Amino acid sequence: QKEVEQDPGPLSVPEGAIVSLNCTYSNSAFQYFMWYRQYSRKGPELLMYTYSSGNKEDGRFTAQVDKSSKYISLFIRDSQPSDSATYLCAMSGGSIIQGAQKLVFGQGTRLTINP
Amino acid sequence: IAGITQAPTSQILAAGRRMTLRCTQDMRHNAMYWYRQDLGLGLRLIHYSNTAGTTGKGEVPDGYSVSRANTDDFPLTLASAVPSQTSVYFCATSLDTSTDTQYFGPGTRLTVL
């Protein structure tokens, strides 16, 4: 079983829809949770960062962490065609590699917002 | 330079050839990382460096080597490329390795024939 599971999609929704992206994980030691956005042929860019359980909102984006269920979500409100990208969840706090925090990524969900 | 640059952008390479992927940052971050991204497998850590002069192995280090002579540069070398090393390679940095937030370069698309 992978430490982090993410549905690769693809997910296609109409413009203006609310999008829900999710990851589950198995390592209860994870404490830090991130969402990265990756446009085609570009590097991932950090979108949201949360610590432990709870919600964090930034404009149209809301990140939600439920540690009891080992489940994290990213919600996008009023989705725009410019939100079309691959979204990767990432988390850490579970293990150290020779003194370095190990960041574990999900596979990424490919999202398309149709005008 | 703004952030992280990688070179080349893309490369086609014959199997058995030696190749160095370059990564340069101007953010004065202590930690640097190399990942490969493959369809269905996500991002996997190859090597990392806590600070200039130190390096460490990630999940998939075999066939790759790195060096960190200074803060800004972190080259990744494939001594003898094999087709299974066909991938997109990303360099990333973080303030230090206790910081979870990593920033990624634009990537190098490598094809080994």
Side-chain angles (χ1 to χ4, degrees):
Chain A
Q1 183 188 3
K2 291 180 181 177
E3 278 190 290
V4 179
E5 297 277 0
Q6 184 177 7
D7 186 341
L11 181 62
S12 182
V13 300
E15 183 176 356
I18 296 174
V19 176
S20 172
L21 304 169
N22 311 295
C23 288
T24 58
Y25 62 95
S26 57
N27 190 338
S28 58
F30 286 141
Q31 299 180 68
Y32 304 93
F33 304 91
M34 286 140 274
W35 285 95
Y36 283 82
R37 179 174 60 196
Q38 186 176 19
Y39 290 115
S40 181
R41 293 186 172 262
K42 301 289 185 182
E45 57 177 332
L46 183 66
L47 191 61
M48 298 286 281
Y49 177 96
T50 53
Y51 169 70
S52 194
S53 285
N55 292 359
K56 183 174 182 179
E57 189 173 318
D58 184 1
R60 297 184 293 110
F61 298 89
T62 300
Q64 196 170 77
V65 175
D66 182 349
K67 290 190 71 180
S68 63
S69 302
K70 298 191 182 68
Y71 189 87
I72 69 170
S73 300
L74 177 71
F75 298 96
I76 307 174
R77 292 184 301 280
D78 187 25
S79 56
Q80 304 294 311
S82 59
D83 296 327
S84 298
T86 296
Y87 290 80
L88 301 102
C89 62
M91 44 199 82
S92 69
S95 61
I96 306 281
I97 309 174
Q98 299 179 23
Q101 284 284 356
K102 179 182 176 183
L103 197 61
V104 182
F105 287 86
Q107 288 185 56
T109 300
R110 189 173 169 187
L111 173 67
T112 300
I113 309 297
N114 300 303
Chain B
I1 299 176
I4 304 168
T5 58
Q6 291 186 239
T9 303
S10 64
Q11 182 75 44
I12 298 174
L13 190 66
R17 297 295 296 269
R18 180 184 179 90
M19 176 74 191
T20 296
L21 308 185
R22 299 185 298 279
C23 174
T24 300
Q25 57 123 346
D26 67 355
M27 298 187 290
R28 309 306 294 174
H29 282 176
N30 288 315
M32 297 186 76
Y33 312 82
W34 274 106
Y35 290 89
R36 58 178 291 174
Q37 187 175 37
D38 302 288
L39 196 63
L41 297 175
L43 282 159
R44 293 182 291 169
L45 183 66
I46 304 170
H47 285 287
Y48 68 93
S49 169
N50 290 338
T51 188
T54 68
T55 62
K57 295 181 180 180
E59 297 176 68
V60 289
D62 294 342
Y64 305 95
S65 64
V66 291
S67 61
R68 187 88 185 276
N70 56 61
T71 298
D72 298 343
D73 301 297
F74 191 42
L76 177 74
T77 297
L78 289 68
S80 180
V82 295
S84 62
Q85 292 177 310
T86 293
S87 187
V88 182
Y89 291 85
F90 289 101
C91 177
T93 72
S94 64
L95 187 60
D96 56 53
T97 48
S98 65
T99 304
D100 308 273
T101 306
Q102 295 183 14
Y103 301 89
F104 286 80
T108 292
R109 190 170 295 266
L110 182 68
T111 302
V112 182
L113 301 176

